[in-house]
Structure formats: structure tokens, C-alpha cells
Amino acid sequence: MQRILLDTDTGVDDALAIILALNTPEMKVEAITTVSGNVYVDFCTRNVMLTLNAMDLGEYPIIAQGERQPLVKPLVTAAHVHGSDGLGDVTKLHGPDGSRSYPDPELRLAAASAVDLIIDLACQHPNDLVLVALGPLTNIAKAMDKNPNQMRNIKEIVLMGGAFETYGNVTTTAEFNIFVDPHAAQRVLDFGVPITLVPLDVTHRVMLKSERLKAECGVRSDRLAKFLRDATRVSMAYHHQREGFDGIYIHDALPIGLIARPDLFDTADAFVQVETSGQLTQGMTIADLRQGRPALKTNARVCVGVNAEGFIEHFFDCILST
Ligand code: RIB
Ligand code: CA
């Protein structure tokens, strides 16, 4: 059983990752922390609660709200992808009786900030807690600055981020999570705990097609199936228009899959750096991933391959198993 802490800028693919993690038997979600990214952090926190409420959970993970602004840059959001509420605009949906389909949830939050909760849990579970970072790395970098000794207890950081041998998705060179807070990303890479990056190079190979979603949960009337349909509709429209396919990329679900099913992925050791000041390339991740050229020094593992169909099978096996 791997203990994890999910740090998330809860957008649509983050929500799918949360659902997958909480339905992965090999995993125990100790806590969920939120950070500004896809939308501002208060919306991310609300989205975490709405996502958890879509499931029949016996107990909830600890939830703590995190940083509202990146370390240095002003925040850039992605409401055009995830909807103005960050969750496919489900908060605007109304039932036949006119009541809101997803009313604002009761926020059951820890008194601690996300940064303090991350430090506390690292201390409580020395070398047994994996941080799964699904948004900008602001909270994690601040936790490392605030208490480096405790943060060295972290077993591993598995993060969705970066683009190496493929274009970026927010500029031609940068992936969103790294672009939003490149200074935090470099800080985390320099810190020295084991890091695995799951970049666009592999997440762009895994598409949750609308046909598949319909086939798997189109006729189901349970709350989770309805949430999956409602929360993905806006992002489906974005991907149809901008990416040219009927479905969505489920970027953030892949780090969860990597932990539970490493057999579905290929990785390579590399020396990863982040461009923090380039005018055209800020947020770009740089590493030499050429086959057969082992890096002279390494600071991270990078996912370079994925069994896309195998992962989609795994995704639905887990989330619709109940
Ligand atoms: O580039 C994709 C990443 O940016 C995902 O984590 C998505 O949720 C956004 O945060
Ligand atoms: Ca995310």
C-alpha cells in the first residue's frame, strides 16, 4: 500500500486523477492539497470537495488549501480548457426543478495550510510518502524552503509536467504546470529527493475518447457516472475544437497509473533543467533523452513511453469497479 499526498490545481483531469487514486487498491490517499493553476486555489478546493462528494467514500482524505500565486510570476490560468469554475462548469448546471445540480459543498478543511500539511505528513511518514503533483509546484517548493530537513523524508515526487520531445501546450515550448511556476519547478528539481516527471510526451498519447466514456458510463445512473459526464463536457468541446479529437487528455491520471501499474510505462534517467527566464522559452523543460546516451549526471526519471490502451483499461477497471 503506497501512501500518497495529491497536490492539485483541480481542473477536470485532476478530478479524474483524484477519482482514480481513491479507487486504486494499491494506494492510500493521506491528503489532498490545492494550489492555484487551472483556476484560483479557492475554486480548486471547492472542486476537490465536489469530486469527493461524487463518490461513496467512507472517509475523506485530509484537505488543505495552498498557495494562490506562483513564487515569482503572476498567475496564468486555464479556464478556457476546464471551464470558468475549473470543473467543466458543473456549478452552473441545474436540475429539472431549477435547483443547482452541484451546489457549493461544505468545505471540510484542515486548519493547517497546504505547505504545513505537506511538511507534517512528510515528518509523520518518513520515506513512506509519495507526493503526486498535478499542478504548479508552488506548494512543494515553499514546503522545501520552509522545512528542508523534514522534506527530505519524502520518498519520491511523481509529477505531471514538462515537454521534452514534443511541443508545449501553453506555449510552443512549455507545458502548463511548469510554465505557471518555473521557479518552483527548478527549486524542486534542485532539492534532491527522487523525482519522476510524466510529461506531455506520454500524456498526449492517452486520450479518453467520448465514445469510450459513453460506452463505459453513458447508461449508468449513479452519481459518479453522472459526474464524469457532466464534468468532462466542456473540456470535450475544447479538445474537439482545438485538438481535433472527440475526447480529452487525462494528463493527471497518468502519474497515479505509474505508481500502481509501472508495467504500463517506460522511463529513462535524465538531467532535467527548467528555463526560468527565457523570453520565448520560459517554463521549457530541457533534458537529453536520446536513446543510448546515458546521462553523465541525473536528477530525475522521465516517463518516455506508455501503453495507452492498457492505461485506459486500467482507468475504467478502477473507477467503475464499485
Ligand atoms: O499540462 C497539463 C497540466 O496542466 C494538467 O495538470 C492540467 O490539469 C493542468 O494543470
Ligand atoms: Ca492539473
Side-chain angles (χ1 to χ4, degrees), residues 7-9 35-38 70 75-76 133-140 160 176-178 180-181 184:
D7 188 67
T8 163
D9 61 336
V35 63
S36 283
N38 288 316
L75 181 65
V76 169
L134 306 178
L137 294 160
T138 317
N139 288 339
I140 296 172
M160 191 279 136
F176 181 82
N177 288 336
I178 309 299
V180 167
D181 199 340

Side-chain angles (χ1 to χ4, degrees), residues 7 118 131 133 137-145 151 157 188:
D7 188 67
I118 292 168
L131 293 190
L137 294 160
T138 317
N139 288 339
I140 296 172
K142 284 203 161 183
M144 291 171 167
D145 288 348
M151 287 299 285
I157 298 171
V188 170

Side-chain angles (χ1 to χ4, degrees), residues 9 13-14 38 82 134-135 160 169 175-177 200 251-252:
D9 61 336
D13 61 321
D14 304 69
N38 288 316
H82 299 271
L134 306 178
M160 191 279 136
N169 60 355
E175 178 277 325
F176 181 82
N177 288 336
L200 295 180
H251 306 280
D252 290 339

Side-chain angles (χ1 to χ4, degrees), residues 27-42:
M27 211 166 262
K28 181 169 189 316
V29 181
E30 294 288 344
I32 300 176
T33 53
T34 56
V35 63
S36 283
N38 288 316
V39 287
Y40 275 92
V41 67
D42 47 328

Side-chain angles (χ1 to χ4, degrees), residues 156-178:
E156 183 182 12
I157 298 171
V158 181
L159 66 94
M160 191 279 136
F164 294 94
E165 298 176 325
T166 188
Y167 283 107
N169 60 355
V170 63
T171 67
T172 51
T173 57
E175 178 277 325
F176 181 82
N177 288 336
I178 309 299

Side-chain angles (χ1 to χ4, degrees), residues 34-56:
T34 56
V35 63
S36 283
N38 288 316
V39 287
Y40 275 92
V41 67
D42 47 328
F43 276 15
C44 297
T45 306
R46 180 180 63 176
N47 294 345
V48 167
M49 291 308 305
L50 288 169
T51 303
L52 297 177
N53 291 346
M55 292 178 273
D56 293 321

